[in-house]
């Protein structure tokens, strides 16, 4: 897993909270910085792809680690 | 220019409060400009003091913890009990509460418009509804909906 600048733990949260929290966290980052999101909502896998596509941020990685979903999002 | 999303929210129950607030908060996060036009029972979603309930009556699709004849579901206190059980379920599954989602919409500049005709029809008081919302009619909604990329009735 590559580096990141901030972590958002969205474990236990359901749609649409992981996306909304991620949006909020990204607002605090500078362009080019990376947010790591940890989620347990299986729907978040497709949702973060769609989020990246529509906001212009880059989904650098999307993985499953010990039952959790981990995303790296690079701010546009 | 930002994409636009117009919603008409017509229902005033706890379960049906979810679609407009989930979609509009998410759309706002994706960069959409969003307006919700609240009409008829949807006005209940704008009350400062939210008191939303669920009922299984007339809704055979609602999952029940145990099979229950419809006549039993109509007994006094059943609606309150089902509402309490639903709120418990919502919490245990990490689903946001309606007040939380509504706050997120307000924070994200989702515009709320209350149908003035409904306010008159059911004697809602402006002071009982959220501050800072607009009041208007069909023409107000259509002005925005006519330029929007998505328009939905809920």
């Amino acid at each position: 897993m590559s580096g990141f600048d901030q972590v958002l733990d969205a474990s236990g949260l359901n749609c649409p909270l992981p996306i909304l929290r991620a949006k909020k966290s990204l607002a605090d980052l500078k362009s080019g910085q990376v947010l790591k999101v940890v989620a347990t909502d299986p729907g978040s896998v497709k949702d973060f792809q769609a989020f990246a596509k529509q906001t212009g941020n880059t989904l650098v990685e999307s993985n499953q680690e010990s039952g959790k979903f981990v995303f790296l999002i690079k701010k546009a | 220019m930002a994409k636009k999303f117009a919603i008409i929210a017509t229902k005033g129950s706890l379960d049906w409060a979810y679609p407009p607030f989930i979609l509009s908060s998410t759309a706002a996060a994706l960069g959409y400009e969003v307006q919700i036009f609240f009409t008829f029972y949807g006005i209940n979603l704008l009350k400062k003091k939210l008191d939303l309930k669920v009922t299984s009556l007339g809704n055979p699709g609602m999952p029940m913890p145990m099979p229950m004849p419809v006549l039993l579901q109509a007994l006094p206190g059943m609606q309150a009990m089902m509402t309490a059980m639903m709120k418990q379920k919502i919490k245990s599954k990490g689903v946001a509460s309606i007040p939380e989602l509504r706050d997120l919409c307000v924070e994200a500049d989702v515009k709320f418009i209350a149908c003035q005709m409904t306010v008159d029809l059911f004697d809602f008081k402006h002071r009982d509804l959220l501050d800072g919302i607009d009041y208007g009619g069909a023409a107000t909604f259509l002005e925005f909906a006519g330029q929007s990329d998505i328009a939905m009735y809920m």
Side-chain angles (χ1 to χ4, degrees), chain B residues 14-153:
Chain B
L14 176 64
D15 42 359
W16 280 101
Y18 275 89
F21 288 136
I22 287 184
L23 281 172
S24 52
S25 57
T26 305
L30 295 175
Y32 281 79
E33 186 186 333
V34 190
Q35 282 195 13
I36 313 177
F37 185 80
F38 297 86
T39 188
F40 277 79
Y41 317 109
I43 295 283
N44 286 300
L45 310 185
L46 290 173
K47 282 187 175 166
K48 279 178 186 152
K49 269 189 77 163
L50 285 167
D51 182 27
L52 303 173
K53 297 189 169 72
V54 287
T55 176
S56 58
L57 294 174
N59 181 8
M62 181 180 283
M64 301 287 276
M66 68 205 91
M68 197 183 287
V70 171
L71 268 175
L72 273 183
Q73 296 172 29
L75 289 176
M78 286 302 287
Q79 185 170 281
M81 193 184 89
M82 275 179 214
T83 301
M85 282 168 63
M86 178 69 97
K87 283 187 173 167
Q88 187 50 47
K89 203 171 189 54
I90 285 166
K91 209 170 173 187
S92 74
K93 299 280 183 177
V95 173
S97 71
I98 289 300
E100 185 180 3
L101 280 174
R102 190 175 72 172
D103 286 350
L104 287 166
C105 288
V106 171
E107 230 173 86
D109 287 328
V110 172
K111 195 166 177 189
F112 294 163
I113 298 162
C115 170
Q116 180 60 51
M117 180 275 281
T118 308
V119 169
D120 293 342
L121 181 64
F122 294 132
D123 294 315
F124 284 105
K125 302 279 177 284
H126 284 200
R127 64 169 182 274
D128 293 335
L129 304 182
L130 291 177
D131 298 322
I133 61 172
D134 283 354
Y135 292 84
T140 307
F141 172 74
L142 287 168
E143 187 186 357
F144 181 80
Q147 315 158 354
S148 70
D149 300 89
I150 312 171
M152 282 187 185
Y153 175 91

Side-chain angles (χ1 to χ4, degrees), chain A:
Chain A
M1 170 123 343
S2 27
F4 48 87
D5 300 284
Q6 198 183 314
V7 184
L8 168 67
D9 185 7
S11 301
L13 299 181
N14 217 318
C15 171
L17 292 176
I19 291 286
L20 299 182
R21 298 275 161 88
K23 167 81 182 174
K24 220 174 208 176
S25 298
L26 280 168
D28 299 332
L29 295 185
K30 293 188 192 76
S31 177
Q33 286 191 309
V34 175
L35 175 69
K36 175 180 174 178
V37 182
V38 182
T40 50
D41 167 23
S44 62
V45 175
K46 257 196 131 356
D47 279 351
F48 273 104
Q49 287 174 14
F51 173 76
K53 210 168 157 185
Q54 291 174 81
T55 55
N57 300 301
T58 312
L59 186 59
V60 183
E61 274 188 49
S62 173
N63 287 315
Q64 205 169 341
E65 277 175 21
S66 53
K68 296 199 173 188
F69 304 98
V70 181
F71 309 98
L72 289 183
I73 305 163
K74 190 177 191 175
K75 184 168 177 173

